[in-house]
Every structure is written in structure tokens, then in C-alpha cells.
Amino acid sequence: MADEEQAAPASAPRKSKLLVVIGAVAVLALAGGGYFWHMESAARAQASAEAASKIDLYLPLDPPFVVNFKDGDSLRYLQVAVTLMSHDQKALDAAKDASPVVRDALVSLFSNQDFSVISSADGRRKLQDQALATVQKIVKERTGKPGIDALYFTSFVMQ
């Protein structure tokens, strides 16, 4: 019986150590879970911010451009409506603030075209690419980066 009495007190410290270890593991698990939850919510917030920056922003250049150009002996007419697209509002603001410069550059570009070239789909795409490069150059001079991602002809009438 004396042996039983001495064995009982020795197992009590073991149980309390075991409870402390289990408690420490539980606290660490909760802390780790909280950390991962925080990291996941931070990642979701960052993804949301990135998605918001991917929103297409548009700036129509109103009124439409109207130019005359010569095609051999005849006089031709072109009316084209242009809309700019960007993911950066600052770039669109810069293009809007420089509207007279942008319009002048595009009028010069449009009026120097050859009717036979812009009559084809490939010719219009080439003109669209040239117009985009022209606007990007103007915006880059003001903001330090091209900023304009696309230029669309929303109306294209030749006569």
C-alpha cells in the first residue's frame, strides 16, 4: 500500500505537464489559425484592389473627328469617333487635359491618309495603331508612362 501511495503523487505532475503541453499546443494552433485567416483576408483585399485596377475606363473624344483629304483628283471626307481606354484614371485625365494637343495630332494623322489604304480593314487597323501610338506619346510626355491601353474607332464613315 505504501508503494501505491508513493506512485499516485508522481503521476499528478505528469498529468499537469501533459495538460500544459496540450494547452500550449491549442494556443499555438489558435494563433496559427488566426495568422492564416489574417493572411487570407489580406490576400483577398489585395486581389480585390488589383481587380479594381483592372476595370476598363473609357474617355470618348467628342465631337467626332471630321477631315477632308485628297484621293487623286477627288476630295474625300472622313468622320471618325474615337474612344480611349485605360486602366489608369490619371492617364485618362492627362489625355483629357491635353485634349487640344491630342485632337490636333489626330486630325493631322487622319487628314494625311490615303483613301485606298484606309478603305480596307487592315488599313483601318494600321490607322488605329498609329492613332494609339500618337495618343500614348502625348500622355507619356505628361505622366511619364503611356497609360492608354487601347483606342477604339466607335464610328468610321468615309465618303
Side-chain angles (χ1 to χ4, degrees), residues 1-12 14:
M1 253 225 220
D3 290 333
E4 288 178 20
E5 288 177 14
Q6 288 179 352
S11 67
R14 282 188 190 163

Side-chain angles (χ1 to χ4, degrees), residues 7-157:
S11 67
R14 282 188 190 163
K15 286 184 181 179
S16 65
K17 283 184 184 179
L18 182 63
L19 288 177
V20 168
V21 170
I22 291 174
V25 168
V27 167
L28 288 174
L30 288 174
Y35 173 77
F36 286 115
W37 177 81
H38 173 71
M39 293 304 291
E40 183 180 325
S41 65
R44 272 186 270 155
Q46 182 179 1
S48 176
E50 287 175 6
S53 70
K54 300 281 186 203
I55 294 173
D56 295 347
L57 304 169
Y58 297 96
L59 174 67
L61 300 180
D62 291 326
F65 294 85
V66 179
V67 295
N68 293 313
F69 55 95
K70 254 189 148 158
D71 179 36
D73 290 337
S74 59
L75 192 61
R76 296 291 185 166
Y77 159 86
L78 172 68
Q79 177 182 336
V80 59
V82 175
T83 299
L84 305 177
M85 189 278 291
S86 179
H87 295 105
D88 181 5
Q89 185 61 49
K90 290 179 184 177
L92 288 180
D93 291 341
K96 188 174 183 177
D97 291 343
S99 180
V101 178
V102 170
R103 292 188 70 80
D104 176 65
L106 291 178
V107 165
S108 294
L109 177 67
F110 295 150
S111 63
N112 287 318
Q113 297 304 306
D114 184 50
F115 181 77
S116 62
V117 173
I118 60 174
S119 295
S120 70
D122 287 339
R124 281 192 297 275
R125 274 193 293 278
K126 182 179 176 186
L127 178 60
Q128 189 175 16
D129 292 342
Q130 291 171 341
L132 175 60
T134 300
V135 174
Q136 286 177 330
K137 180 181 174 191
I138 294 167
V139 170
K140 186 175 183 176
E141 289 171 356
R142 284 159 174 72
T143 65
K145 56 184 179 177
I148 304 300
D149 300 318
L151 181 142
Y152 300 106
F153 292 155
T154 55
S155 173
F156 196 92
V157 179

